[in-house]
């Protein structure tokens, strides 16, 4: 083991946080935790992990679950394609791998939703393979210690980081090393104000010894975000409301939602009433629009959703609503997996 690896592992044994997925090497549990923790903070992921494992304790229960139940558990975590891919992969493992997780990186990476990072994590933690992980924390630690100003957004940069990691990952307990370097990045070598003065690696750290901690790693290029305008209609008919399932290849695929009119620009309710979609929804009806409406800007990694939700009462129904939407009791809405944004709205609207 190199001195750097040894220091990281020693540091980890003293300072690591007690997290439920660190008590196991079970590949199913490692997989679930890694997928949940992608794009999710550890504190938030904690409860989701417990709920997930409670509901789907093993690969079989996940494979045979109803996707709607899975999306319901996932509600609020965002990036719902992660959950859909897990469902697919669980079935794939049952059907094509005798229900057992493949134990080799090269097989793991063939599974849907499992990329280099997750395959490396599972292979190292569960199967003792020396496959280094490269996530944002590891990237920062390596960039600073070795003084690398390349970005991992390019393949060449990624390869360079991987090469260094491959040289320092030990053959013995590679999973512990992977967890150690990630934890070190999360707690010690943080993006802002890393605790350099008390760092075990400061004497060998390029960034520290060259006064370049603030400059490394290289900042990511800003992603341009697309702005979308979502106008939801919460239709109330007696004790019923109407929902639909999102089936297109778009955000929130397979989640349920209220009837949606997406517009090119921000529109007032008066202009919304003039759209073809509105006229279809309420053809032959006399909708009463609540003057209070809900407004929320929802920021995702590549999109900004400028959202309005209007509450509209109707006294009769038309064929368009019946043919294109699910008519459900309002009281049953919490049973459906819906985007967090709508869940928050409904909590307020149904008070
Ligand atoms: S000295 Fe500072 S920048 Fe270098 S590894 Fe330690 S915490 Fe990170």
């Amino acid at each position: 083991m190199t001195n750097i690896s040894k220091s990281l592992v020693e540091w980890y044994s003293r300072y690591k946080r007690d997290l439920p997925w660190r008590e196991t090497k079970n590949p199913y549990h490692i997989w679930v935790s890694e997928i949940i923790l992608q794009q999710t903070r550890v504190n938030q992921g904690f409860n989701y992990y417990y709920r997930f494992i409670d509901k789907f304790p093993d690969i079989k229960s996940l494979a045979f679950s109803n996707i709607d139940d899975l999306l319901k558990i996932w509600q609020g975590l965002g990036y719902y394609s992660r959950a859909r891919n897990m469902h697919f992969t669980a079935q794939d493992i049952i059907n094509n791998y005798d229900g057992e997780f493949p134990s080799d990186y090269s097989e793991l990476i063939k599974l849907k939703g499992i990329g280099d990072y997750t395959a490396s994590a599972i292979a190292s933690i569960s199967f003792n393979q020396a496959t280094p992980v490269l996530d944002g924390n590891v990237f920062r630690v390596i960039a600073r210690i070795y003084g690398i100003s390349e970005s991992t957004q390019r393949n060449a940069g990624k390869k360079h980081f991987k090469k260094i990691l491959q040289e320092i990952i030990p053959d013995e307990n590679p999973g512990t090393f992977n967890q150690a370097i990630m934890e070190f990045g999360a707690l010690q070598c943080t993006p802002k104000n890393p605790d350099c003065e008390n760092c075990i690696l400061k004497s060998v750290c390029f960034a520290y010894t060259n006064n370049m901690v603030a400059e490394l790693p290289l900042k990511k290029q800003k992603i341009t975000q697309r702005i979308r305008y979502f106008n939801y209609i919460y239709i109330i008919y007696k004790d019923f409301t109407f929902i639909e399932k999102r089936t297109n290849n778009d955000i929130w695929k397979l989640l349920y939602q209220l009837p949606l009119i997406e517009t090119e620009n921000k529109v007032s309710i008066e202009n919304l009433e003039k759209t073809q979609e509105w006229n279809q929804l309420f053809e032959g009806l006399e909708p009463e629009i609540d003057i209070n409406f809900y407004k929320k800007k929802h920021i995702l990694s590549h999109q900004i959703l400028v959202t309005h939700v209007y509450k509209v009462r109707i006294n009769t129904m038309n064929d368009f609503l019946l043919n294109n939407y699910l008519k459900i009791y309002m009281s049953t809405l919490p049973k459906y997996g819906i985007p967090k944004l709508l869940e928050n709205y409904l909590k307020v609207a149904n008070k």
Side-chain angles (χ1 to χ4, degrees):
M1 215 191 295
T2 67
N3 287 341
I4 289 179
S5 328
K6 214 182 273 173
S7 301
L8 286 169
V9 171
E10 276 167 17
W11 175 92
Y12 181 65
S13 67
R14 284 186 66 184
Y15 298 109
K16 70 175 174 190
R17 291 166 290 182
D18 286 330
L19 301 174
W21 45 87
R22 290 202 172 136
E23 289 158 14
T24 177
K25 290 192 168 202
N26 179 323
Y28 175 71
H29 289 211
I30 301 298
W31 176 53
V32 170
S33 68
E34 292 299 346
I35 301 290
I36 287 178
L37 290 180
Q38 285 168 17
Q39 322 280 351
T40 305
R41 283 193 305 274
V42 167
N43 285 353
Q44 195 198 1
F46 217 77
N47 289 336
Y48 278 94
Y49 174 80
Y50 277 125
R51 276 170 43 203
F52 195 107
I53 295 294
D54 198 42
K55 179 93 179 165
F56 311 112
D58 50 31
I59 196 89
K60 205 169 165 191
S61 54
L62 180 61
F64 292 108
S65 69
N66 184 319
I67 183 80
D68 287 349
D69 291 340
L70 172 57
L71 291 171
K72 181 74 192 147
I73 288 274
W74 205 265
Q75 191 168 306
L77 263 179
Y79 298 91
Y80 291 88
S81 57
R82 290 184 288 172
R84 291 191 297 272
N85 287 341
M86 285 181 91
H87 197 247
F88 179 93
T89 292
Q91 292 175 341
D92 190 16
I93 290 176
I94 292 292
N95 295 331
N96 301 313
Y97 295 86
D98 288 334
E100 298 286 339
F101 254 90
S103 59
D104 195 75
Y105 170 91
S106 60
E107 283 298 315
L108 284 162
I109 200 150
K110 289 181 191 161
L111 299 171
K112 194 167 181 183
I114 296 193
D116 170 64
Y117 168 79
T118 312
S120 301
I122 299 172
S124 62
I125 298 169
S126 302
F127 303 111
N128 238 12
Q129 288 195 332
T131 46
V133 292
L134 179 56
D135 72 348
N137 285 325
V138 177
F139 165 60
R140 184 170 57 258
V141 172
I142 294 295
R144 285 175 175 166
I145 294 177
Y146 289 89
I148 301 173
S149 52
E150 277 172 278
S151 154
T152 49
Q153 282 174 316
R154 290 171 182 272
N155 262 347
K158 206 169 175 181
K159 270 191 188 157
H160 191 179
F161 280 85
K162 275 277 190 181
K163 190 168 172 282
I164 293 173
L165 286 163
Q166 201 66 63
E167 283 162 12
I168 62 172
I169 191 169
D171 288 331
E172 207 174 307
N173 297 327
T176 307
F177 167 80
N178 274 340
Q179 295 185 84
I181 191 166
M182 286 192 278
E183 189 78 336
F184 185 78
L187 301 182
Q188 176 91 29
C189 192
T190 48
K192 283 185 190 152
N193 307 320
D195 187 8
C196 297
E197 287 314 314
N198 298 308
C199 178
I200 38 152
L201 293 172
K202 69 179 179 188
S203 62
V204 293
C205 174
F206 175 93
Y208 181 74
T209 50
N210 290 281
N211 205 15
M212 283 185 67
V213 174
E215 282 75 42
L216 289 170
L218 213 64
K219 304 284 172 286
K220 270 190 186 171
Q221 280 166 6
K222 222 175 166 353
I223 301 166
T224 44
Q225 286 173 310
R226 172 182 164 212
I227 303 177
R228 299 174 74 179
Y229 299 90
F230 278 14
N231 306 280
Y232 279 112
I233 324 288
Y234 183 30
I235 302 175
I236 298 177
Y237 169 68
K238 297 180 182 166
D239 291 337
F240 300 98
T241 190
F242 297 85
I243 58 171
E244 63 178 341
K245 200 171 204 174
R246 289 180 67 88
T247 50
N248 289 342
N249 268 336
D250 193 358
I251 52 161
W252 302 332
K253 189 176 175 188
L254 299 186
L255 289 192
Y256 289 86
Q257 65 177 3
L258 302 175
L260 168 69
I261 301 176
E262 183 170 356
T263 48
E264 290 290 320
N265 299 300
K266 193 169 164 184
V267 289
S268 62
I269 183 67
E270 289 78 20
N271 284 333
L272 193 66
E273 283 179 89
K274 291 178 192 153
T275 61
Q276 194 191 350
E277 291 92 334
W278 179 281
N279 285 314
Q280 269 178 329
L281 271 179
F282 298 111
E283 193 180 4
L285 307 178
E286 287 179 14
E288 289 167 32
I289 306 163
D290 196 323
I291 49 162
N292 298 312
F293 60 87
Y294 179 84
K295 203 166 89 182
K296 185 87 190 160
K297 196 190 271 180
H298 193 61
I299 299 174
L300 303 168
S301 60
H302 291 76
Q303 306 187 18
I304 297 174
L305 307 180
V306 179
T307 307
H308 288 79
V309 190
Y310 299 96
K311 193 192 260 187
V312 176
R313 283 177 199 281
I314 51 175
N315 295 318
T316 46
M317 287 184 294
N318 62 21
D319 287 346
F320 185 81
L321 279 172
L322 286 173
N323 294 337
N324 293 284
Y325 297 91
L326 260 179
K327 179 181 155 213
I328 60 161
Y329 278 107
M330 283 192 292
S331 57
T332 62
L333 255 171
K335 285 191 194 154
Y336 293 85
I338 57 174
K340 188 81 182 159
L341 174 146
L342 285 178
E343 191 197 358
N344 289 343
Y345 162 73
L346 289 165
K347 269 186 206 154
V348 180
N350 290 335
K351 253 186 186 169

